Amino acid sequence: MPSLWVLTGPKAGDNSQILRAAEASRLPYEIKTIVIRKGQQGLKPRVRPTIRHLDVVASDPLGPPWPDAVLTIGRDLSLVALWIKQQSGGRTRVALFNAAKGRASAFDLIVLPPYYRASGHSNELQIRMPLIGIDPSQVEAAHAAFAAQFDVLQRPLSVLLLGGDMGLRKLDPNFAISVLGTMQQSFASSGSIYVSASRRTPNKVAVALEAHLRPQDRLFRWGTPDIENPYLGLLAHGDNFVVTADSLSMIIEVARLGKPMMIAEPSIRTGLTGWWDRLAVAFRARDLRRAIVPLYESGHAAVLGKVFSRPAEPLPDDTARVAERLRQLVLGKVE
């Protein structure tokens, strides 16, 4: 029977995409949880077959019999996938989500969301939107679980979802305060606002926003002891949403629910003097606006300060296309 390993890492949004594809393929698969060693996290290692950056004790074991194919996402896990392919003598095929950061020809399938440009190679599959989405049953369950907490808040309930820094765009306190003020003075003037920070939100941003909340507003600060993360409850109970542009995962999850949404885009910082900054501007290897602009055009989102709209059609979902290519890969029909 064909075998498929799914290599998952620390990012829930990344994991959900590859697991969604694996499930849709209807192939039997085994999840291998990969843990990166302390001191190696956040680095950008050269792409090559290696597991030197892994915490092999904390990670799931990797050993023969080697699978027919590996499915994974991102740079760190791509190195592990190539190592597995090497150990198998080249027999194991590798499917990678997001652009390869090197050795692109070594991957048998590269699934590219719209924020990466395709190079035209036969091993690439460009999709219209990332395979991000919350299971509707989870949202339904959260609606009941969080009802007592949210039913007491003034309506409409406007939700501000905060991400964090992203390259040249910085989520600073002044920007966050400006976004909150825009909400309070316009569409959320008569209701309540629930601000939810994420793992990447700088603590100074949450502290600054707390001082600008009205009595009817609420704030969830990431990592607060004994307080359950209300994210799923907010997706279920929120009447409208504002999401910072850095967090495409949250943007897509709201869009797939069809709820009114605005996107708050911080400005690119000025005074670029470093060579890395100049290269980032010149090449823009990962440009999230290539996914955000279609949301504006389809009515799934509006720029902060504009008018909410409702989309005429559901958000594009290429899960079936990816699943079919994955089946072809695992069953040995892709050269």
Side-chain angles (χ1 to χ4, degrees), residues 56-334:
V56 294
V57 175
S59 299
D60 287 338
L62 304 173
W66 302 109
D68 294 302
V70 171
L71 171 62
T72 195
I73 186 169
R75 182 194 295 260
D76 285 339
L77 301 185
S78 74
L79 275 59
V80 183
L82 292 178
W83 179 85
I84 293 170
K85 183 173 186 175
Q86 182 185 69
Q87 300 307 303
S88 73
R91 184 182 64 83
T92 297
R93 295 183 169 186
V94 177
L96 175 69
F97 270 58
N98 294 343
K101 303 305 190 297
R103 300 196 181 197
S105 62
F107 299 94
D108 301 278
L109 175 63
I110 301 174
V111 179
L112 293 173
Y115 43 81
Y116 288 112
R117 296 185 183 276
S119 61
H121 294 152
S122 61
N123 63 341
E124 294 177 335
L125 174 63
Q126 185 94 58
I127 58 177
R128 293 167 292 176
M129 283 291 157
L131 304 190
I132 297 170
I134 298 292
D135 188 327
S137 64
Q138 289 184 282
V139 178
E140 184 177 351
H143 192 279
F146 285 88
Q149 178 178 343
F150 292 127
D151 284 350
V152 299
L153 299 180
Q154 294 182 27
R155 294 286 176 165
L157 174 58
S158 299
V159 179
L160 173 55
L161 300 176
L162 300 172
D165 294 340
M166 184 189 70
L168 304 179
R169 298 180 186 271
K170 300 298 180 181
L171 184 64
D172 62 63
N174 290 334
F175 171 75
I177 291 170
S178 174
V179 172
L180 179 64
T182 298
M183 296 173 67
Q184 291 171 337
Q185 295 164 23
S186 54
F187 57 87
S189 60
S190 61
S192 58
I193 299 174
Y194 203 118
V195 182
S196 181
S198 66
R199 176 179 54 85
R200 296 189 303 109
T201 305
N203 186 59
K204 62 183 179 181
V205 172
V207 171
L209 286 177
E210 196 164 23
H212 288 79
L213 297 178
R214 302 169 301 183
Q216 69 267 35
D217 298 334
R218 300 290 184 271
L219 169 71
F220 169 74
R221 189 182 300 183
W222 184 267
T224 304
D226 304 321
I227 297 181
E228 184 179 2
N229 187 334
Y231 180 68
L232 285 177
L234 291 170
L235 291 182
H237 287 271
D239 294 307
N240 55 70
F241 292 78
V242 175
V243 189
T244 55
D246 62 278
S247 183
L248 194 60
S249 292
M250 294 192 293
I251 288 172
I252 298 298
E253 285 169 351
V254 174
R256 290 206 186 278
L257 294 176
K259 295 204 172 185
M261 174 174 56
M262 291 183 182
I263 298 176
E265 298 190 52
S267 300
I268 295 178
R269 61 189 170 91
T270 58
L272 304 179
T273 57
W275 65 271
W276 181 254
D277 287 340
R278 292 195 295 272
L279 283 176
V281 171
F283 292 100
R284 294 186 181 276
R286 182 174 181 263
D287 184 0
L288 294 189
R289 281 191 57 79
R290 298 190 69 226
I292 291 174
V293 169
L295 297 178
Y296 294 150
E297 296 172 344
S298 64
H300 286 89
V303 178
L304 180 65
K306 301 294 184 180
V307 178
F308 285 118
S309 62
R310 287 190 177 275
E313 301 289 340
L315 200 66
D317 187 352
D318 288 323
T319 302
R321 287 179 61 218
V322 175
E324 180 57 30
R325 285 291 295 270
L326 187 59
R327 283 183 59 82
Q328 293 172 353
L329 186 75
V330 173
L331 297 175
K333 296 179 181 178
V334 174

